[in-house]
Amino acid sequence: MPTLREQQEQDVQRIIRNRLRVLIANAPGTGKTPTTICSISRTYLHTTPALVIVPPSVLRNWEREFKRWAPHLNIKLLESGGEMPRRIGERDVLIVGWPLIDPRLDDLQTIDWCCIVADEAHFAKNPDAHRSQALRALCTPDRGLLLLTGTPIVNSTDEMDQLESLYGGRKPPMIRRLLSDVAPDIP
């Protein structure tokens, strides 16, 4: 098994303490993906089935990383033109691209997800966008919700407010690490 860096291990512990309801705003390159996967892996009895929403360009990367960091979990993909898996249950993680969550919302809502992960969560910063509304429909106060973004605020604080609103009115704990703090040797 690979080993997490010290700050990643600290983040996993904080995520677990907060019942996987955390906004992870670490800068790019700080290891948000392994931190997220390990958090789900260590709590899978309570956090699976899990839905992981990602940009389509990193769908296969997330699949590889899950197999590397959590080989005991069953990873399923929902790709464009693909069929929804017939059965999703304990130990299952469904990875789906952002463009599919709105058109496949009805299918996704039939599953009792224990945890939702949204990689590049700033994709849901516009409350009028269909994908933002679809993500909102999937979020409930009793589910884990890990929003990952290296850029939580691009234009205005309204973007951060939109992300925080997905937690049901309660401001979520936020983890923010800069690459210069955790890996000063990386330019």
Side-chain angles (χ1 to χ4, degrees):
M1 279 295 289
T3 304
L4 293 173
R5 295 182 298 221
E6 183 180 344
Q7 80 277 356
Q8 290 174 303
E9 185 62 46
Q10 292 168 359
D11 291 351
V12 168
Q13 294 307 315
R14 185 168 182 202
I15 292 165
I16 291 172
R17 274 194 315 273
N18 286 286
R19 298 177 40 233
L20 277 75
R21 291 188 60 82
V22 176
L23 176 58
I24 305 170
N26 291 346
T30 55
K32 292 183 293 292
T33 302
T35 297
T36 300
I37 293 170
C38 287
S39 297
I40 292 170
S41 173
R42 293 180 192 179
T43 60
Y44 74 89
L45 291 175
H46 306 288
T47 56
T48 59
L51 174 64
V52 180
I53 304 162
V54 303
S57 62
V58 296
L59 196 86
R60 294 288 177 182
N61 182 63
W62 270 88
E63 178 186 35
R64 277 190 306 275
E65 291 298 306
F66 260 104
K67 288 179 179 178
R68 179 177 181 214
W69 292 95
H72 59 286
L73 298 179
N74 304 315
I75 310 309
K76 300 177 180 194
L77 301 179
L78 178 57
E79 297 182 88
S80 183
E83 293 294 319
M84 184 78 174
R86 293 189 189 272
R87 185 185 170 285
I88 296 179
E90 188 179 292
R91 290 186 185 227
D92 289 343
V93 175
L94 178 65
I95 305 172
V96 60
W98 274 103
L100 291 181
I101 66 168
D102 178 51
R104 301 307 289 269
L105 182 60
D106 289 342
D107 291 334
L108 295 173
Q109 286 182 310
T110 65
I111 308 299
D112 187 18
W113 303 109
C114 294
C115 185
I116 307 281
V117 174
D119 185 25
E120 304 295 349
H122 52 272
F123 284 9
K125 67 184 178 184
N126 179 350
D128 298 325
H130 291 289
R131 65 182 172 201
S132 300
Q133 293 171 5
L135 179 60
R136 180 172 302 286
L138 293 166
C139 295
T140 63
D142 59 329
R143 290 182 172 150
L145 178 59
L146 298 173
L147 300 181
L148 286 60
T149 178
T151 55
I153 301 174
V154 176
N155 299 308
S156 75
T157 58
D158 291 344
E159 296 169 0
M160 179 63 92
D161 294 342
Q162 170 63 19
L163 293 179
E164 289 178 344
S165 75
L166 295 170
Y167 290 90
R170 183 172 172 256
K171 192 171 182 159
M174 181 171 73
I175 298 171
R176 176 73 173 159
R177 294 185 186 273
L178 301 177
L179 187 60
S180 58
D181 294 335
V182 301
D185 54 319
I186 298 176

